[in-house]
Amino acid sequence: MKLGMLTACLPGWPLARIAAWAAENGYQALEVAVWPDAGGRDFVASHLPVADFGPREVDRTRELFDRHGLELSAFAYYENNLHPDPERRAGIRAHLKHAIDAAQALGVPYVGTFVGRDWTRPVAENLREAERILPELVEYAGERNVRIIVENCVMEGWHPDGYPGNLAYSPELWEWMFSLGLYLNYDPSHLVWIGIDPVEVIAPYAERIVHAQAKDVELDPRARNRFGHFGPATDRTDPWGMGWWRYRVPGLGQVSWTNVVDRLYEHGFTGTLSVEHEDPVWGGDDERVTQGLRIAHRTLRPLILD
């Protein structure tokens, strides 16, 4: 197991600066954000131009990672592959294929994305639609020796009422997506707030957990008693504001990282545990973000064997 970090938390930094900082601060791998330069979610980051990735870019990227002694654990392009707008969905699909092509060129084993959801249709219809379109992407990746990994993020902000916007949030849905050839980018933080024990679900699905993200979550049970599980209903100005929980860097929330890492080791996990920094306390500017990454490193590095 190696300790890495997702580069999306530093969208204004070039990849060379992130790589130098990560190596100097004890990180061993990078999960590189590869959204397009234009559009996307608020914290979109584009750290490699995968849509135009030729031999020159391949050589530069290899040299950068070799120089700093880092691994490139995965590409990150977490978008809605079931988007209800056909044009938007087609653009997401095309860019995901660009990411897969670039991963093949660099020998990167994984490209991360979301299953997503068409929030105008019920779950059953979404599952059938995913069964229609996702296997071709899995095959495209497999032909290039790349696996598609899906993070189990609920993506409640994609649904107008705060319901799941990514149909890969529970073990029931993991089993379904595994049948399509997808793998799991396991993130315990999402499991905690939806009431699933993040430690207990590792063993049954260990063979499909090939990459992991380290993000913590802080719960406020008193606020939950007011809003309920789905968050504010009458004054929801922020689609991502659930009102009773927030993300934290590892060590500042409810996840038992000692137990999570121990269980991953017990079941043979040899991939990267990648810090995904979305902590609002340690956010807002680059200095605070990097301090948050240092806190995460101090929490997790002692748990990972050399």
Side-chain angles (χ1 to χ4, degrees):
M1 194 185 310
K2 285 185 168 55
L3 181 60
M5 54 172 277
L6 173 59
T7 66
C9 61
L10 292 165
W13 286 22
L15 184 58
R17 184 179 178 187
I18 295 175
W21 186 93
E24 290 169 4
N25 287 274
Y27 282 94
Q28 300 166 294
L30 294 181
E31 180 184 4
V32 176
V34 296
W35 276 265
D37 285 336
R41 288 151 55 205
D42 290 342
F43 52 88
V44 69
S46 180
H47 287 131
L48 277 178
V50 296
D52 186 21
F53 205 72
R56 188 174 181 181
E57 288 74 24
V58 170
D59 291 343
R60 285 179 173 175
T61 305
R62 284 177 174 161
E63 190 278 329
L64 174 66
F65 278 76
D66 289 346
R67 178 169 14 114
H68 293 293
L70 294 169
E71 289 192 9
L72 204 171
S73 67
F75 283 154
Y77 178 56
Y78 289 94
E79 281 291 355
N80 187 353
N81 283 279
L82 296 177
H83 199 287
D85 181 341
E87 184 176 353
R88 179 75 180 112
R89 186 193 292 190
I92 290 167
R93 187 180 187 85
H95 193 75
L96 182 59
K97 286 187 173 182
H98 289 317
I100 292 167
D101 292 340
Q104 178 191 25
L106 283 170
V108 176
Y110 309 118
V111 172
T113 191
F114 290 132
V115 170
R117 177 180 183 174
D118 177 347
W119 55 85
T120 69
R121 301 166 67 183
V123 170
E125 290 184 16
N126 272 271
L127 298 183
R128 302 295 82 78
E129 178 68 1
E131 290 166 2
R132 184 183 71 83
I133 68 170
L134 292 181
E136 189 270 335
L137 285 169
V138 170
E139 182 178 357
Y140 185 90
E143 289 171 350
R144 290 154 180 79
N145 201 31
V146 175
R147 292 176 177 177
I148 298 176
I149 56 175
V150 174
E151 183 190 349
N152 55 287
C153 184
V154 182
M155 295 307 291
E156 65 287 345
W158 279 351
H159 193 287
D161 295 319
Y163 302 146
N166 172 39
L167 297 178
Y169 58 86
S170 67
E172 175 190 25
L173 290 164
W174 300 350
E175 293 166 4
W176 162 79
M177 74 175 190
F178 294 159
S179 73
L180 305 182
L182 297 162
Y183 289 79
L184 183 62
N185 193 5
Y186 162 87
D187 185 330
S189 67
H190 309 298
L191 296 167
V192 171
W193 77 263
I194 63 173
I196 295 174
D197 187 327
V199 177
E200 290 303 310
V201 300
I202 292 173
Y205 305 105
E207 290 186 359
R208 288 279 170 165
I209 300 173
V210 295
H211 197 274
Q213 288 185 332
K215 186 163 73 265
D216 218 325
V217 63
E218 180 183 10
L219 309 182
D220 182 351
R222 287 190 296 179
R224 184 176 57 205
N225 287 340
R226 170 173 169 76
F227 298 124
H229 186 82
F230 298 107
T234 61
D235 188 22
R236 196 185 191 93
T237 57
D238 178 3
W240 302 99
M242 297 298 281
W244 64 272
W245 61 265
R246 60 182 180 175
Y247 293 128
R248 303 303 308 272
V249 293
L252 300 181
Q254 267 73 52
V255 175
S256 173
W257 291 103
T258 299
N259 290 336
V260 165
V261 173
D262 179 62
R263 191 63 56 89
L264 287 170
Y265 269 123
E266 179 183 358
H267 292 280
F269 179 78
T270 58
T272 295
L273 181 61
S274 178
V275 174
E276 183 183 21
H277 184 349
E278 296 180 1
D279 188 326
V281 176
W282 293 104
D285 59 60
D286 293 346
E287 182 178 355
R288 292 187 69 80
V289 168
T290 53
Q291 184 57 46
L293 290 168
R294 291 187 183 98
I295 294 169
H297 184 275
R298 287 198 297 267
T299 299
L300 297 172
R301 190 64 184 92
L303 304 177
I304 295 176
L305 303 176
D306 291 323

